[in-house]
Amino acid sequence: MHSDWAAAAERAIATRHLRRVWGLPGTLLARSGWPASPGQRVHWHWNYWWQAHLLDCLVDAQERDPTSAREAAIDRFVSSVRVRNFGNWRNDYYDDLAWLGLALQRTGRDVSFFLDELRSGWTPEGGGGIWWRRGDRFKNAPSNGPAAILFARAGDVERARELLDWMEKTLVDPDTGLVWDGLRVDSHELVQEIYTYCQGVFLGACLEMSEMDRAGRTIRAVAAHCAPGGVLRGQGGGDGGLFAGILARYLALAARRLPAGPESDAARSLVLASAEAAWTGAADAYGGPLFSPEWSEPAPAPPLPKDHPARDLSVQLGAWMLLEAAATL
């Protein structure tokens, strides 16, 4: 059942979003909206890190149901990201680099460039950690969490441990166990916004470092504060459309890796209940299901109102990511 749902989400995104880059033969990239604006049709607005998550979802799908056609599409997609990025992988945002590095690592490609870039983003200011972006003075969970996962999977356990411990001592709320967004280094201001994104990347880093007690604490905090009615809450369109999907990915990983018990059961339940809600609330649209940015609420039937968040690739990707996560359980 969940595999069928994931396959339907994949077909919908492929039909509505995947196109050539600038009409070039052999290229493949996702338009960031549907229906696409003129700028989106020429990939002027393309969102490097959204494409990284689409690649991750393609790898999920290939693991679920391997095909030679999708393997070829993955190769085209990877080369097309470089084409659209003017022949290189560079980006000013360290979190974006970490996400693309993670996706490329899963395809078996060399990620030394990404590891080197992330190492260059670390400084001792603010107690350690990686900056959010070049030229900024903000360090946050969205950059340090995926970087820790990437370093751990690449075998640099020392750097992964350093990043995870920095998040633990700097960003974890001692009262709730939730992970705050980040630290403004110069003013020492803690940005105590609660995003599902931050919970997901911290959980993923804990799992890679076998910090099962910290992972369990995060799952309990998510269940208590981020999932009304047992369904992960959404955070709108734009970048927020990916946040709950990222959390679902690492909750599913926790459900598989944690020892049997209340935390692994809770992680499984959160993913499966969210998948059920997202699928049930989807609207029929060209190519397949159209998902709501808030999984506990129904998606609007097309034609979509102008600027509705369900038009965003990020929202649809977040749901696809959720359904692939559910398929692993």
Side-chain angles (χ1 to χ4, degrees):
M1 176 178 70
H2 295 113
S3 292
D4 292 339
W5 294 356
E10 178 187 10
R11 286 193 299 271
I13 286 179
T15 301
R16 294 196 294 256
H17 291 273
L18 288 180
R19 297 293 187 274
R20 291 179 176 182
V21 182
W22 306 321
L24 295 173
T27 58
L28 188 69
L29 206 64
R31 291 175 173 175
S32 57
W34 179 81
S37 68
Q40 290 166 346
R41 284 198 290 271
V42 296
H43 299 285
W44 177 258
H45 181 74
W46 75 292
N47 286 297
Y48 185 106
W49 81 289
W50 296 12
Q51 307 291 335
H53 283 289
L54 197 151
L55 177 58
D56 232 358
C57 286
L58 286 171
V59 177
D60 289 340
Q62 188 68 354
E63 292 180 352
R64 167 177 50 80
D65 176 31
T67 70
S68 56
R70 193 187 296 103
E71 184 177 5
I74 288 171
D75 289 342
R76 289 169 59 201
F77 192 89
V78 169
S79 64
S80 299
V81 171
R82 280 184 70 100
V83 169
R84 175 56 187 80
N85 211 51
F86 306 111
N88 60 66
W89 299 124
R90 297 192 184 283
N91 192 284
D92 285 341
Y93 289 81
Y94 290 104
D95 52 341
D96 292 21
L97 289 164
W99 285 121
L100 187 56
L102 280 166
L104 289 171
Q105 187 183 52
R106 294 182 67 203
T107 72
R109 287 170 167 81
D110 175 52
V111 294
S112 56
F113 168 81
F114 299 90
L115 296 168
D116 289 345
E117 289 290 289
L118 291 168
R119 288 187 185 100
S120 76
W122 185 93
T123 73
E125 296 163 282
I130 291 171
W131 298 109
W132 174 44
R133 64 180 176 183
R134 299 181 203 280
D136 208 320
R137 303 291 295 170
F138 186 51
K139 294 184 173 182
N140 60 3
S143 58
N144 285 274
I149 298 169
L150 181 60
F151 279 119
R153 291 179 179 176
D156 189 345
V157 176
E158 182 178 352
R159 180 50 54 94
R161 166 69 58 193
E162 183 179 68
L163 299 178
L164 177 59
D165 288 348
W166 178 83
M167 288 189 290
E168 172 73 25
K169 79 179 178 190
T170 309
L171 300 181
V172 175
D173 182 346
D175 295 325
T176 64
L178 292 169
V179 182
W180 294 320
D181 184 36
L183 172 70
R184 300 193 190 284
V185 170
D186 293 340
S187 65
H188 308 289
E189 175 197 356
L190 280 169
V191 178
Q192 297 182 350
E193 300 292 338
I194 301 300
Y195 298 118
T196 46
Y197 182 171
C198 298
Q199 318 316 308
V201 296
F202 183 80
L203 175 59
C206 290
L207 294 169
E208 295 302 325
M209 297 304 297
S210 298
E211 288 283 353
M212 299 313 186
D213 289 343
R214 293 182 187 181
R217 180 195 63 204
T218 304
I219 293 166
R220 294 192 299 273
V222 166
H225 300 282
C226 301
V231 174
L232 297 174
R233 60 176 168 82
Q235 293 189 284
D239 287 346
L242 282 166
F243 289 5
I246 290 167
L247 176 54
R249 175 183 292 283
Y250 294 108
L251 284 169
L253 188 61
R256 302 195 303 273
R257 288 193 183 176
L258 287 176
E263 284 84 11
S264 62
D265 289 346
R268 179 182 298 271
S269 177
L270 286 165
V271 174
L272 296 182
S274 298
E276 177 78 26
W279 181 261
T280 302
D284 291 330
Y286 170 67
L290 179 80
F291 297 98
S292 173
E294 191 67 60
W295 294 332
S296 60
E297 299 175 2
L304 297 177
K306 185 179 180 182
D307 297 328
H308 194 285
R311 300 169 73 112
D312 289 348
L313 171 66
S314 57
V315 169
Q316 303 309 309
L317 269 181
W320 180 14
M321 200 182 311
L322 164 69
L323 298 177
E324 293 288 359
T328 68
L329 301 178

